[in-house]
Amino acid sequence: MLPAREPDIVSAANLIDRDRACLWHPYAPASPTLPLWAVEDASGVRLRLTDDGGARHEVVDAMSSWWSAIHGYRHPVLDEAAGRQLSRFSHVMFGGLTHEPAVVLAERLVAMAPADPSRASLARVFLADSGSVSVEVALKLAVQYQSARGRPRRQRILSIRGGYHGDTAGAMSVCDPVDGMHSAFAGLLPRQVFAPRPPAAATATAESIETWRDAVEDLARLHSDELAAIIVEPVVQGAGGMFVYPPECVRILREVADRHGLVLILDEIATGFGRTGELFAAWHAGVVPDILCVGKALTGGYLTLAAVLCSDEIARTVSAGGVGALLHGPTFMANPLACAVAKAS
Ligand SMILES: Cc1ncc(COP(=O)(O)O)c(C=O)c1O
């Protein structure tokens, strides 16, 4: 139970009406009757809500704010980390400047990332401002890498049906082409290459996995001179319906990527930080990607922050390539407040 608290001066009904008059909500119409509840308080797993009739409700947020609030609301350690950083500085640009929260966070991410002695480790970190932006950075990094290796035609991405990678244009282009938002933005989005969804873990057989492997291999071979990367959510496609598939399929993607010179991008924005029982879902498959995206639970759901980890090989090649730099740099990159909370989380 949340402790008792005086109702706010602004009544919930008033707040909800004012919201309906001027705000957008996710995937929602601008509507004067949009269903909404006002959050009065949050603690642990619970939210205290008031509806537009003034009735109060206490609920368990089993969705953890879209799978991000992994330690619960108002965690004392995270509250303290945010307060401490706020008393120093909340933001500085990352161009030409650095700070302790970003450096320590990056070191810890590198230390905890999937690793394999036979493969280049994920040693370089780009701190982006949301999951979708981190996917944009990962796609750009893969294209820049291929270009720096003398393959400038490799600009397309092999994605898997049923996937979700975010709502910015590049990220949308690699989401499921039917259930995603492709049809609404047909002229805007780059046309990517889509492999079938892997068989479901519950019913997969050696034969169905073999059939799927052949389909992926055929596509990669057919498009190899124009493909830069493969992107996939390892083991669980989250927003695409919590679809669980065999870890062996992630290993197959690793092999296909290696065979055709493609960068393997694992999107662990939803699955990272223990969501599937392993610290990273890649561990179920024993696969180390070339690029890894994490977000959501990175700050324990406190602030928006994501990270793109890439191998030293990719970082060195892109840095030594024609342009000589990774072409991305958002204003709120490596926000110190978010990094300090992520470090504590
Ligand atoms: C696998 C995956 N990738 C990317 C994203 C996009 O992240 P964000 O909403 O922080 O932009 C999500 C969000 O649900 C996701 O589940």
Side-chain angles (χ1 to χ4, degrees), residues 71-211:
H71 309 291
Y73 297 104
R74 284 191 11 222
H75 193 286
V77 175
L78 303 193
D79 282 6
E80 205 265 327
R84 196 164 1 101
Q85 184 58 39
L86 199 56
S87 70
R88 297 175 67 205
F89 55 97
S90 58
H91 185 66
V92 289
M93 66 179 180
F94 211 51
L97 300 176
T98 193
H99 44 79
E100 187 260 0
V103 174
V104 175
L105 176 63
E107 286 171 349
R108 288 195 189 160
L109 287 172
V110 166
M112 63 168 46
D116 168 353
S118 68
R119 202 168 259 289
S121 58
L122 299 171
R124 184 68 54 171
V125 183
F126 186 101
L127 292 164
D129 29 9
S130 73
S132 301
V133 172
S134 77
V135 169
E136 299 290 337
V137 172
L139 301 181
K140 288 168 75 172
L141 192 48
V143 167
Q144 279 198 244
Y145 171 68
Q146 297 290 5
S147 186
R149 293 180 73 204
R151 300 157 160 183
R153 283 195 59 224
R154 286 185 170 235
Q155 303 248 338
R156 294 179 79 191
I157 309 296
L158 178 66
S159 188
I160 311 297
R161 285 181 188 269
Y164 176 77
H165 300 284
D167 287 352
T168 50
M172 273 197 293
S173 79
V174 289
C175 292
D176 184 84
V178 180
D179 288 342
M181 290 168 271
H182 289 233
S183 55
F185 305 105
L188 173 70
L189 302 185
R191 290 182 53 245
Q192 312 293 15
V193 177
F194 287 92
R197 199 171 220 188
T203 52
T205 59
E207 204 180 1
S208 64
I209 293 175
E210 193 63 29
T211 305

Side-chain angles (χ1 to χ4, degrees), residues 112-116 268 278-288:
M112 63 168 46
D116 168 353
E268 294 238 21
E278 293 282 0
L279 188 56
F280 295 104
W283 283 133
H284 293 287
V287 162
V288 177

Side-chain angles (χ1 to χ4, degrees), residues 26-47:
Y27 311 110
S31 158
T33 57
L34 190 71
L36 279 180
W37 290 261
V39 182
E40 303 272 351
D41 239 323
S43 181
V45 298
R46 291 170 192 277
L47 298 178

Side-chain angles (χ1 to χ4, degrees), residues 262-281:
L262 308 180
V263 172
L264 180 65
I265 304 170
L266 291 189
D267 176 349
E268 294 238 21
I269 291 162
T271 52
F273 305 108
R275 303 301 78 211
T276 66
E278 293 282 0
L279 188 56
F280 295 104

